Every structure is written in C-alpha cells, then in structure tokens.
Amino acid sequence: MDKNLTRLAVALIVGAMAPLFDSTIVSVALHTLSRDLHTSVETIQWVSTGYLLAMGVTVPIVGWLQNRIGGRRLWMSALVVFLIGSVLCSLAWDATSLIGFRIVQGIGAGAMMPLLTTLLMQAAGGRNIGKLMSIASLPTALGPILGPVIGGLILGAADWQWLFWVNVPFAVAGLVLAWFFMPADGPVGTARLDVVGLVLLSPAVVGILFGLSNASRTDGFARFDVWAPLGAGLVLLVAFVLWATRRRSAALVDLALLRHRPLAAAATLMFLMGAALYGGMLLLPLSFQELRGTDALGAGLLLIPQGVGSLLSRSLAGRMTDRIGARVVAVVGFAVVLVATIPFAFADGSTNQWWIALVLVVRGLGLGAVMIPIMSVGFVGLDRPDMPHASTITRLAQQLGGAFGTAVLAVVLAGAVAGGDAAVAFQQAFWWAIGITAFATVLAFLLPGRQPAAAEPAAPMPTPVPASTSTR
C-alpha cells in the first residue's frame, strides 16, 4: 500500500485500540466493581449500559461533525475525550461517578468507531480495500477475544482502577501518531445540522439499545423496561426513516444510499455478524463457567484459540476480497462459522477441552474471513462525500445487531435454564446462534461477485503535514 496510507492506518489503529479493548476489559469486572464500590450488580451494570448508550447518541452525528471541523481534528478531539474519561474513571469515588465518567468515555468512543472506517476508506480511494480492512479491523476482532483475558489478568494482579489506566498509553500514542501522520484537513461542507433528524435518531438508538440491554434479566421481553423503550425506539426510528427519505442528502444520515445494493447488503450482514459475534461471546464464556466450572479469567483464556484463528485468516481474506470480490469470501466465512458452531450445540461439561480449542480455531478462521468483505464492500462505488453516511449506517447496524443477538440468546438461555438441565439450555441457545449464522450465510449471496470500479478516480492521498507547520 501507499506509504502515507500505511502511516495513517497505523495511527488510527493504535488510537482505536483503547476504546475497542476497553468495553470488553470492563465487562469481566462488574462483580468486582459492585463489591468494591458497595453497590448492587443491577446498579453497576450501568457502567456498561451508560457507555453503550453514549456511543449510540454520538454515532449518528459523526458524519456531520467531520464535514464541519475535519476528520483529523475530530479524531484527535474524540481521542482526547476518551483519554480524559479513562483518567476520570480511574479516579471515581463511587458507582455514580464511575457511571458518569463512563458516559464521557462512550462519547469519545462513539465518535472514533465510525470515523476510523470513514477516514481509511476516503484515503484509500477505492484501492486495496480488502487488504486495508484486514489491517484496520484488527482491533475490532481482538477486542472481544483478548479483552476479557486482559481484564482478568489486571484484576488478578492489581486494583480495578488499572482497568482504565491501561487505556492511557494507547490513547497518548494514538494522539502522537495522529499529530505526525494524519494529513491536515479542514471543513468540507457548511451544511446545517439536521436537528429534527438528530432528535429522532439518537433517542431511537438509545431506546432500542436500552430495551435490548434489559432483556437478559428475569422475564425477558415481558419486562416494562424492555418493551417500552424498545417500542418507543422503533417508533422514533420509523419516524426518522420517513423524515430522512424526504431530506435525502440533507438528512443526518442519508438513507437513500441504501439503494446502493452493496451497502444495503453490507449493513444487513453487519447486523447479523454483530448478532453472531456478540451473541456467541455471551454464550461461550458463560458455558465455560457454568458447565466446566472455570472463573472469568479461565473462560477468557479458553477463547484465545478463536482469536488465533481470526488472526490467521485476516490477511488471506483481505487479498481474496480484492481479487475475487466479497461474495465468495463472505459466504465461505459464514459457512465456516456455521459449521464450527454446531459442535457447541452438542457439547456439555465433559466435552474434551482440546476438541473445543480446535473448533474455536476454526470458528475464528470464519469470523476473521467474514469481517473483511462485509466491512469493505459497502463503500465500493460510493463517492467520497457519501462515505461518512455509509460508515454511520454500517456501524449502527453492527451495534444494534450485537445488542439484538445478545438479548435474544440471553432470553432463550434463561428460559431454557428455568425449564431443565443447564447443558441442554446452552445447547438450545447455540442452535439459535446457528440459525442466525445460517440466515447470514444465505444473505451473503447478495454481495457483489467481484469488485466494481470506483465511482471516481482515486485521488492521491495528501502528504502528512508536520505538526509545527500544519494548519489547525
């Protein structure tokens, strides 16, 4: 790849490591936080829920902010917000302050995640997209896998405050690299903020995410705090769709881009991939703990083979996506995930551990292969100004899909556990995960068979301006 593009990718990836690892690192510490901060587990759950909702509020506005202040300024500002939030979290004195500071973190992370993809796609100009995404999505793949391991190791050796101090080196390094390696840019548009769209879409995302996050509790979707915010969120989402359809490119998110088949297919598959990935990341560690008696750290260590498999397949998946198109790579990847999930529908506490590790390696191979084509193909054929909208659409799809998959599988698991043996309950839940993956495998045939030409000739990437002379 172009040298400047490689430098940009490195700068963005290093900065993104902090938020992508943070959410999964903290997820293993909720019981410790509940104990040390002298509060209930229900209250401390807001450490994760508040972070998730803050991201949901922020993501829809990222495209407009990029156009108003420039990608470089927005990236560095978001990274500073996340860094400040991390330091404040480490200094929290009670549960309320920690939840508030996690919301600050979530705002920074919510701006960084869609912006990461947008900046890389715009810089690539339609060239080597598969190879680029195999590099850029590395933290996305490793976060859910290595995060619990890192969190468990930190809790075993130090106080919970270090869960947040570990973000500081990544954030500082990311800021330094962005200062030197990201090309200076500025506003590219003067469009007014779509206030009506923001008032409709952000609360819609928050309502849906909040409702789904509560579905894992007793009574599942029958709970008032599930169906009420979920229903309100869906109503607001429909209202936003109607509003955005009229506003087109002037809308907060241009939904007319979904007429572009690769983007529509990619968004749908991102939703299903989020459900399969995060739903599986709910079931796998829980089954290890419930059926095999491991602790949180032990469950995280058992997931390492899946991370290894994901790493092994990424480079090949990127090259094959550029060479033969997204369809074949995605179909094969989902099929591998499907086949490698089936053994867990028959597993119990006595299943051989080495067999589980082998199956997880294969499952990781599929997850790594599937992520590359569907993260990149949605941008093929789009003009540069459309890319922020496409990034927002795919990011929201993945976020909502992850929440949906986790909620559905948690409800299925809870209902099955109440009705009988725990091993049978996990087997039933895994069959649901298999069904989601099978549906994704079929839909992957809608992706383009080969990469079409870019909508416009790729412009050369600007040379980074040294910090001492760049225009701020």
Side-chain angles (χ1 to χ4, degrees):
M1 292 188 297
D2 177 77
K3 180 174 64 175
N4 291 328
L5 180 58
T6 302
R7 289 175 175 174
L8 173 64
V10 171
L12 293 174
I13 290 169
V14 171
M17 295 286 280
L20 285 170
F21 276 80
D22 179 83
S23 58
T24 51
I25 288 175
V26 173
S27 66
V28 304
L30 295 180
H31 285 284
T32 301
L33 293 172
S34 174
R35 182 194 65 213
D36 291 355
L37 295 176
H38 310 291
T39 189
S40 65
V41 174
E42 289 74 17
T43 298
I44 211 65
Q45 285 280 358
W46 276 94
V47 168
S48 295
T49 303
Y51 181 90
L52 179 67
L53 298 184
M55 289 184 66
V57 169
T58 309
V59 168
I61 203 174
V62 172
W64 179 80
L65 283 173
Q66 182 185 356
N67 287 334
R68 295 291 294 185
I69 69 175
R72 183 174 186 262
R73 291 188 181 93
L74 179 57
W75 176 262
M76 295 184 69
S77 299
L79 192 50
V80 167
V81 170
F82 186 85
L83 174 60
I84 292 172
S86 298
V87 174
L88 290 175
C89 284
S90 69
L91 302 175
W93 55 89
D94 59 16
T96 302
S97 61
L98 180 59
I99 292 167
F101 297 146
R102 282 285 284 171
I103 291 173
V104 175
Q105 275 189 308
I107 292 172
M112 291 172 67
M113 292 305 96
L115 188 60
L116 168 68
T117 306
T118 300
L119 292 175
L120 287 173
M121 291 298 102
Q122 289 178 332
R127 297 165 296 177
N128 298 319
I129 291 180
K131 182 187 293 185
L132 182 63
M133 291 311 299
S134 69
I135 300 172
S137 59
L138 180 62
T140 305
L142 291 180
I145 297 165
L146 295 184
V149 178
I150 297 173
L153 291 173
I154 291 174
L155 291 177
D159 295 329
W160 62 265
Q161 287 86 348
W162 285 97
L163 295 169
F164 304 102
W165 281 114
V166 75
N167 297 327
V168 173
F170 289 110
V172 171
L175 284 170
V176 172
L177 292 173
W179 181 270
F180 285 104
F181 292 152
M182 291 185 67
D185 62 354
V188 295
T190 58
R192 297 178 61 183
L193 176 64
D194 178 14
V195 177
V196 174
L198 180 62
V199 170
L200 292 174
L201 183 57
S202 286
V205 174
V206 168
I208 294 171
L209 292 176
F210 179 65
L212 291 174
S213 69
N214 290 328
S216 59
R217 301 178 182 179
T218 306
D219 296 331
F221 287 97
R223 295 173 59 95
F224 176 79
D225 59 357
V226 174
W227 60 260
L230 185 58
L234 290 173
V235 169
L236 289 173
L237 184 61
V238 171
F240 173 77
V241 170
L242 296 175
W243 170 260
T245 302
R246 293 173 52 197
R247 298 268 297 177
R248 294 180 62 86
S249 60
L252 185 67
V253 180
D254 185 5
L255 297 184
L257 292 176
L258 290 173
R259 296 175 182 173
H260 183 61
R261 198 186 82 174
L263 176 59
T268 304
L269 288 170
M270 286 291 281
F271 181 92
L272 294 173
M273 188 194 74
L277 175 60
Y278 290 100
M281 293 306 297
L282 166 75
L283 294 180
L284 287 169
L286 275 180
S287 66
F288 296 154
Q289 293 177 69
E290 294 293 329
L291 303 182
R292 308 184 74 87
T294 64
D295 57 13
L297 176 57
L301 293 173
L302 286 173
L303 286 172
I304 288 179
Q306 182 170 267
V308 172
S310 180
L311 287 174
L312 291 174
S313 64
R314 303 179 69 75
S315 178
L316 177 61
R319 292 197 302 270
M320 296 305 294
T321 299
D322 288 333
R323 184 176 303 171
I324 64 175
R327 182 193 302 161
V328 174
V329 181
V331 169
V332 172
F334 274 121
V336 170
V337 175
L338 173 65
V339 171
T341 307
I342 291 175
F344 292 100
F346 298 95
D348 55 28
S350 63
T351 303
N352 184 276
Q353 184 169 316
W354 292 105
W355 167 244
I356 289 177
L358 176 62
V359 171
L360 283 174
V361 170
V362 177
R363 192 172 191 271
L365 290 171
L367 287 172
V370 115
M371 192 173 294
I372 307 305
I374 62 176
M375 286 187 70
S376 57
V377 72
F379 295 87
V380 173
L382 293 181
D383 295 328
R384 183 183 178 92
D386 294 331
M387 290 183 179
H389 294 279
S391 183
T392 299
I393 290 170
T394 54
R395 177 63 195 176
L396 285 176
Q398 183 183 22
Q399 193 173 9
L400 293 174
F404 174 78
T406 301
V408 168
L409 294 181
V411 170
V412 171
L413 179 62
V417 167
D421 181 75
V424 174
F426 277 103
Q427 290 169 3
Q428 292 179 10
F430 274 114
W431 278 116
W432 278 76
I434 291 166
I436 294 173
T437 310
F439 185 45
T441 305
V442 174
L443 289 184
F445 282 95
L446 297 177
L447 294 173
R450 60 176 58 88
Q451 180 175 316
E456 57 184 7
M461 183 178 171
T463 302
V465 179
S468 58
T469 61
S470 61
T471 302
R472 302 284 180 258

